[in-house]
Amino acid sequence: MAATVPSIPCKDECLLRPGNTNCGGCGMSVGLTMLGRALADAGDTCTLVIPACCGIVTAGAFPTTSYGVPTIATTFASSSALASGVASIRDLNGESGQVICWAGDGGTYDIGLATLSAAAERNENIIYICYDNEIYGNTGGQRSSATPAGARTTTTPFGKTEGKKDMMSIMAAHRIPYAATLSIAHPEDFARKISTALSMKGMRFLLMHSPCPTGWKSEPADSVELVRMAVASGLFPLYEVYDGDGYCINAHPDDSDPAEYFERQRRFDDDEIDFNATRKACSERMRYLELLAEEFPHARD
Amino acid sequence: MSVEVITGNHAAGYALSAAGEANRSARGVACGIYPITPQTEIVEYVAKYPFSKGRVVPVESEHSAMAVSMGASISGARSFTASSANGLAYMAENVMVAGYYRLPIVMVAVNRTLGPPWNIWADQGDTLMLRDFAWLQFYCEDNQEVLDTTLLAFRLAEDRRILLPILVCMDAFIVSHTQTETALPEQADVDRFLPDLDLPHRIHSGEARTLGGLAWPHEGLSMRLEIDEAMKRVPDVYRECRTAFEETFGRDPGGAVQTFATEDADVILVASGTMATTAREVVRQRRDAGEKIGLVKLKMYRPFPAVELLAACETATRVAVLDRNYAAGEGGIFCQDTRAAFQGRRDDLLIQNYLTGLCGGDVTPTVIDEILADLSMRSEAGEPVWIGIDAGEEN
Ligand SMILES: Cc1ncc(C[n+]2csc(CCOP(=O)(O)OP(=O)(O)O)c2C)c(N)n1
């Protein structure tokens, strides 16, 4: 491998290069582009550490790469541990640039959870971004613990009976410096949160709702609209948690009905979704976050 | 240089730390660590070492320990870790990756039985499970050899003609927890022996490439071939490292294959680890009594030193291969490789496999006598012989 690796220079602003193989409407394409811009705006660079997931397929085949930065492919569970090693040597040598894990929900909520928890507990100096498409996309659409109740996947063919794991609360409970949710339908909020993360040190966790037309059985052109609905209806709240106890809600739901979100994805069987229960769960979840934000506000400067 | 009475684990910890410290004027050292009996003292030693430019990351599992070490190594730092048994099994996925990434990581393994039945004593099944993963493997018989081989391993692994990770193995308790006099080299000598690491394929912030991603079959094939070529260079590069070691430290770290009284031997014992120590003593006594018997100690197992083994057995007609490991349904693993090495070259040779010391059993001089008695009765090789099964209890 050593002898045959060509040298391809990095280009500013081009984190995700044209010609990659992402599906049309993939949330990653938008998310990576936004991440690249935010890095360029901050004059920052990064090394990507990507476990087994669609995100590493994005890179394409050796010796070319769709990523405009150094990228390391890791085993499914290992991205945050391997990134700890990379960040350690960067810091020991006084070098600049971020070490960013870019991982799917399977690598985050499921197989990589113990590793991520340990990296968070050690407050490793890395940024961990989970693009949450609520499914194992790479292996053809199986459930993960991020899959919402009711969704049909190849391993929950009759609809998932369990709800989605609350990953943000898990990460906040580690009292890491920064945990925030991202939506590609809210680009300014997205950019601000990336730049906030870039300005900090220690473990920074970002959870991005990532539409997957292939797995969600939705129209590629609907992708941004779907995640916008998820924020507007309270299904995917946009908020930040500083140091585990400084809450800030970034977008307040506008009483949109979550029903349309479900209806526009054929992974859900509308007859089987209890919309009243869903509406109640959304408003309770928002109420819970609002109470936290009232009682434990993050003092924004 | 000072001589101290220390354990094998202490010797390994000393060597790993000194090697890491030696990279302080380059990109430093970092590693992931996780405890498991009987190697725990190694990672404890490393954890308290005051590295000038280093970080020891106490992670949540062996899988992550190897991942941290790989991250450090990919970044151009020196790296290592240590483990045993279930730890190695749990780590296996990332052990494989370190080999195929071509990272010169050194891992000290204390050979311990894989259960069930649960058992913490010596058995080589744990490291041999990893035999096909593009790692070099060395098996040591005493504390000094552990220390010397660990230091030598860094130079060998980091040599640009090799660039492969190395496992340095020792028997549980018999070496890991037994104190013997061991010469501890000065840091200045270690610094001279281990030049600053300059990993050719380390990641660079200005260089966009994906390490470890997808490759089509023809690319993958050529990467595998490069590993094979590197493996083939190991015996020569090992010899160079051995000479350099002796020049630096004034002590011979030993060859990849170590022979004792084989020149005109008719019967040869092939053994590794502490079994070789015992076998050597039996051979010495029998030589004194006039028997034409010799010992080949296989220190290097991967790559398998077929040429040296063949040469050492030139005059032999019978070979007993002692295996402290068992491949289920098959027999001993060292014996499989030995047979493959002789296949078509010395088909006249009688090669008999003895499974001994499995699951931590003692391999005493009496056991070696038993093996030699069996070997002398044979007109041809048979199924592997299980030593230590009490025939009296069978019905
Ligand atoms: C240890 C291990 N088990 C299983 C796999 C197979 N595998 C590769 S990617 C993947 C799912 C990834 O899902 P997710 O993290 O959600 O990312 P996505 O594919 O959706 O982008 C699985 C199961 C693997 N690579 N490694």
Side-chain angles (χ1 to χ4, degrees):
Chain A
M1 190 184 273
T4 45
V5 175
S7 172
I8 307 168
C10 299
K11 287 215 185 69
D12 284 354
E13 265 198 68
C14 205
L15 186 61
L16 179 65
R17 292 171 163 157
N20 66 74
T21 55
N22 284 356
C23 301
C26 174
M28 275 201 300
S29 301
V30 185
L32 285 163
T33 305
M34 289 185 179
L35 174 63
R37 288 219 185 107
L39 280 162
D41 285 348
D44 213 338
T45 58
C46 76
T47 294
L48 287 176
V49 182
I50 308 182
C53 62
C54 289
I56 198 60
V57 179
T58 302
F62 177 89
T64 58
T65 174
S66 296
Y67 288 114
V69 294
T71 303
I72 304 163
T74 81
T75 53
F76 199 8
S78 295
S79 68
S80 52
L82 194 134
S84 305
V86 175
S88 298
I89 299 305
R90 174 203 57 192
D91 292 347
L92 281 172
N93 286 279
E95 291 162 352
S96 60
Q98 304 288 336
V99 177
I100 301 182
C101 292
W102 180 263
D105 46 289
T108 305
Y109 289 66
D110 291 346
I111 199 166
L113 183 59
T115 310
L116 175 59
S117 169
E121 183 257 343
R122 296 191 306 268
N123 196 24
E124 292 290 342
N125 194 8
I126 61 175
I127 297 178
Y128 189 105
I129 306 180
C130 170
Y131 65 93
D132 181 1
N133 57 19
E134 307 187 322
I135 204 166
Y136 290 2
N138 189 23
T139 40
Q142 298 77 31
R143 90 189 285 277
S144 78
S145 54
T147 305
R152 278 172 305 195
T153 68
T154 61
T155 49
T156 54
F158 310 110
K160 193 183 172 214
T161 47
E162 307 80 15
K164 187 179 170 84
K165 193 186 272 183
D166 183 358
M167 195 64 205
M168 271 293 282
S169 294
I170 292 171
M171 293 312 291
H174 288 77
R175 302 189 180 281
I176 53 177
Y178 191 56
T181 55
L182 302 173
S183 173
I184 56 171
H186 292 252
E188 292 88 1
D189 183 68
F190 192 119
R192 183 187 61 76
K193 285 171 175 167
I194 299 286
S195 82
T196 301
L198 295 179
S199 71
M200 302 172 93
K201 285 210 176 333
M203 182 69 164
R204 290 143 287 170
F205 175 79
L206 299 161
L207 182 66
M208 178 185 111
H209 199 200
S210 192
C212 171
T214 311
W216 293 9
K217 312 274 181 269
S218 57
E219 291 304 315
D222 278 355
S223 284
V224 174
E225 203 44 42
L226 282 172
V227 293
R228 190 196 312 285
M229 288 179 199
V231 173
S233 62
L235 279 166
F236 188 82
L238 282 183
Y239 70 111
E240 299 161 284
V241 190
Y242 292 78
D243 298 316
D245 58 7
Y247 284 76
C248 181
I249 297 173
N250 314 114
H252 289 274
D254 60 7
D255 295 328
S256 297
D257 190 349
E260 206 191 333
Y261 174 82
F262 292 91
E263 283 158 9
R264 283 168 74 168
Q265 302 173 52
R266 293 191 304 284
R267 64 174 165 156
F268 296 109
D269 184 342
D270 301 337
D271 300 338
E272 284 171 14
I273 305 278
D274 183 342
F275 287 113
N276 283 330
T278 306
R279 287 182 198 108
K280 188 158 173 276
C282 282
S283 62
E284 276 177 5
R285 173 85 191 131
M286 275 321 295
R287 180 81 197 114
Y288 173 71
L289 287 175
E290 276 156 10
L291 282 172
L292 284 170
E294 272 166 42
E295 288 298 321
F296 305 100
H298 169 64
R300 295 273 292 279
D301 43 29
Chain B
M1 189 189 71
S2 63
V3 175
E4 287 180 30
V5 180
I6 57 168
T7 62
N9 277 345
H10 186 139
Y14 185 95
L16 293 175
S17 304
E21 179 65 7
N23 205 41
R24 63 193 173 284
S25 53
R27 293 187 63 73
V29 58
C31 65
I33 56 164
Y34 199 77
I36 183 170
T37 303
Q39 72 79 16
T40 302
E41 285 106 350
I42 302 176
V43 296
E44 287 174 340
Y45 188 100
V46 166
K48 65 171 188 273
Y49 190 90
F51 289 106
S52 309
K53 184 176 181 179
R55 179 169 179 228
V56 176
V57 187
V59 293
E60 86 298 344
S61 72
E62 290 85 357
H63 194 266
S64 291
M66 183 52 72
V68 169
S69 295
M70 287 197 288
S73 185
I74 288 170
S75 306
R78 189 160 282 153
S79 197
F80 50 76
T81 192
S83 195
S84 287
N86 295 55
L88 292 168
Y90 200 73
M91 187 195 285
E93 186 192 27
N94 281 335
V95 174
M96 162 189 79
V97 174
Y100 292 145
Y101 269 152
R102 304 292 303 268
L103 298 177
I105 294 170
V106 173
M107 173 155 66
V108 177
V110 180
N111 285 118
R112 165 186 156 179
T113 305
L114 288 169
W118 180 84
N119 170 328
I120 57 173
W121 300 297
D123 187 303
Q124 300 165 328
D126 54 358
T127 49
L128 289 171
M129 165 184 66
L130 309 170
R131 68 184 175 169
D132 300 329
F133 279 176
W135 283 64
L136 279 61
Q137 292 200 3
F138 293 103
Y139 290 80
C140 301
E141 64 173 303
D142 61 36
N143 302 3
Q144 191 70 59
E145 191 178 21
V146 167
L147 192 148
D148 295 352
T149 308
T150 304
L151 287 176
L152 186 145
F154 282 98
R155 182 158 169 145
L156 180 58
E158 292 170 5
D159 190 294
R160 291 213 174 192
R161 293 164 290 177
I162 306 298
L163 290 179
L164 287 168
I166 300 184
L167 262 163
V168 178
C169 312
M170 66 176 118
D171 288 333
F173 298 100
I174 311 168
V175 179
S176 69
H177 284 64
T178 303
Q179 295 190 324
T180 61
E181 272 193 1
T182 309
L184 303 175
E186 298 296 332
Q187 186 63 45
D189 290 335
V190 178
D191 293 349
R192 272 196 297 133
F193 182 65
L194 296 177
D196 286 353
L197 174 57
D198 179 16
L199 188 73
H201 59 302
R202 81 169 173 93
I203 51 160
H204 279 278
S205 56
E207 209 178 38
R209 69 190 152 82
T210 296
L211 197 73
L214 173 74
W216 300 117
H218 64 283
E219 301 282 10
L221 181 69
S222 47
M223 290 177 201
R224 290 287 194 273
L225 182 63
E226 283 181 28
I227 288 174
D228 197 59
E229 288 164 356
M231 281 286 186
K232 297 231 157 57
R233 290 190 283 267
V234 167
D236 284 340
V237 181
Y238 182 91
R239 270 188 282 277
E240 287 176 29
C241 293
R242 181 183 173 186
T243 307
F245 188 101
E246 199 166 1
E247 281 165 11
T248 312
F249 301 107
R251 193 170 57 245
D252 179 8
V257 170
Q258 297 168 15
T259 57
F260 177 71
T262 50
E263 295 74 35
D264 60 345
D266 179 41
V267 170
I268 283 183
L269 292 164
V270 175
S272 59
T274 54
M275 291 189 298
T277 317
T278 310
R280 193 180 293 111
E281 199 44 44
V282 172
V283 167
R284 196 191 314 276
Q285 285 167 15
R286 288 183 178 239
R287 271 281 170 183
D288 289 347
E291 279 184 50
K292 287 195 165 179
I293 180 169
L295 167 77
V296 176
K297 172 185 143 186
L298 294 180
K299 173 192 176 95
M300 183 164 82
Y301 169 70
R302 276 289 182 270
F304 194 74
V307 175
E308 293 88 338
L309 183 58
L310 267 164
C313 295
E314 209 179 326
T315 61
T317 59
R318 283 154 192 267
V319 169
V321 183
L322 279 57
D323 268 300
R324 187 175 228 137
N325 62 78
Y326 168 62
E330 196 52 49
I333 293 171
F334 279 81
C335 189
Q336 288 178 16
D337 287 275
T338 302
R339 286 219 169 93
F342 284 90
Q343 175 90 41
R345 298 190 180 102
R346 283 291 309 277
D347 291 336
D348 59 306
L349 199 61
L350 190 160
I351 302 170
Q352 178 60 40
N353 193 194
Y354 296 91
L355 302 176
T356 179
L358 297 189
C359 302
D362 285 334
V363 184
T364 60
T366 316
V367 167
I368 309 282
D369 286 338
E370 198 182 317
I371 287 168
L372 287 168
D374 179 276
L375 187 69
S376 69
M377 304 287 287
R378 287 182 178 271
S379 53
E380 56 186 27
E383 289 291 307
V385 176
W386 291 70
I387 304 290
I389 301 289
D390 189 347
E393 279 177 20
E394 281 175 24
N395 43 30

